Amino acid sequence: MVLAVQIERNGGPEEMKLVQVQVGAPGKGEVRVRHHAIGLNFIDVYQRSGLYQLPLPLQLGMEAAGVVEAVGDGVDHLKEGDRVAYATNPPGSYSEARVMPATFVCKLPDAISFETGAAMMLKGMTAQYLLKKAKPVEGLNPGDHVLFHAAAGGVGLIACQWARALGLRLIATAGSEEKCQLALANGADVAINYRTEDFAKRVHEITGGEGVKVVYDSVGKDTWEGSLQCLRRFGLMVSFGNASGPVPPFAPAALAAKSLYVTRQTLFAHLSSRQACQAMADDLFDVVASGEVKIHIEQRFALADVQEAHRALEARKTTGSSILLP
């Protein structure tokens, strides 16, 4: 028996309960992982609230790092005792240990701690596909401007550093001066406090009226219209989250004046095979091990304090990455 966080119905943080669950032996294609650290992500909030509908009761959590305790038949890339990290479906990482599919569980290099591994897999691989796969039709080249909302968050701080390493000029938005300074310290070219400035107007000033090639937006409803205004001709709007609520329906004609492109991306669409997942993880491991990208763990919560962790996340009181410790 191990401790795990479950919900029996969708709702607020108070719906999360710490319960005892049975963890057995792994079956074919599965491993049992003992968690040392667990990642906290906004997708967990969406699943808890019901914005993303999943069968109930539900054990939450998409990301963790730990040690393989047992390996089922047919698993040849992992063995008992391996240090591992993952970001994958199905949910269940909010636990002391779990049995799960082995396909998207990756060996964690010795140079990277369990806490760092748990804090970076979902956010880091998200930054990887955004900057390297979700590209505008005209491509991205060193010196190009991109706009990244919520740049002081976990994904954002990784993206700021990685964009700098790629030679991109990242324009960051954040909700306070402190958060703007954090984005700048991590490689953003310019930071805009969207609470005190019109970010669309400021972006056009920064780019000489041209606009940016791509906007990366995990905020959703509150930034949608302004983001479209920031794009240059043939620009790409990349929506990958809904922190302020889902984007309302819009008419395709709104894109016509500048022939804009819009895409709604998810990490799990890019994790199409074990090989694809490993390649993305290896790219992330390399850029972290090189020192070009540092993972900032700014909040640590005990697993038993998961309700407090979700409240802080939803109130946008967190910066960088947050983890739960079993």
Side-chain angles (χ1 to χ4, degrees), residues 9-54:
R9 62 182 181 181
N10 296 121
E14 69 280 358
E15 297 298 336
M16 295 184 291
K17 309 297 182 186
L18 198 61
V19 299
Q20 293 272 355
V21 298
Q22 183 72 44
V23 177
K28 185 176 181 180
E30 295 181 329
V31 291
R32 187 172 71 234
V33 178
R34 175 69 55 172
H35 294 144
H36 287 233
I38 300 157
L40 183 70
N41 297 284
F42 231 99
I43 191 173
D44 308 340
V45 173
Y46 300 153
Q47 293 176 352
R48 188 210 73 219
S49 69
L51 180 63
Y52 293 175
Q53 287 285 333
L54 292 171

Side-chain angles (χ1 to χ4, degrees), residues 16 97 121 134 263 311:
M16 295 184 291
M121 291 298 286
T263 180
R311 290 189 182 100

Side-chain angles (χ1 to χ4, degrees), residues 39-43 63 115-128 130-131 148-163 170 172-175 179 182-183 186-187 216 218-219 240 243 267 284 287-288 292-299 312-314 316-323:
L40 183 70
N41 297 284
F42 231 99
I43 191 173
E63 174 184 45
E115 289 195 0
T116 297
M120 77 176 190
M121 291 298 286
L122 192 146
K123 302 171 191 69
M125 289 196 293
T126 296
Q128 196 272 352
L130 289 173
L131 294 172
F148 206 102
H149 290 301
V155 177
L157 289 184
I158 295 172
C160 284
Q161 297 173 77
W162 212 330
L170 186 145
T173 73
K179 289 184 175 183
L182 187 57
N186 282 272
Y216 297 111
S218 63
V219 177
F240 68 103
L267 170 62
L284 174 62
V287 77
V288 170
E292 289 184 302
V293 170
K294 292 180 170 59
I295 307 301
H296 298 282
I297 303 172
E298 303 295 344
Q299 296 80 211
L313 189 64
E314 287 184 279
R316 302 189 193 179
K317 292 181 179 179
T318 63
T319 57
S321 297
S322 303
I323 58 172

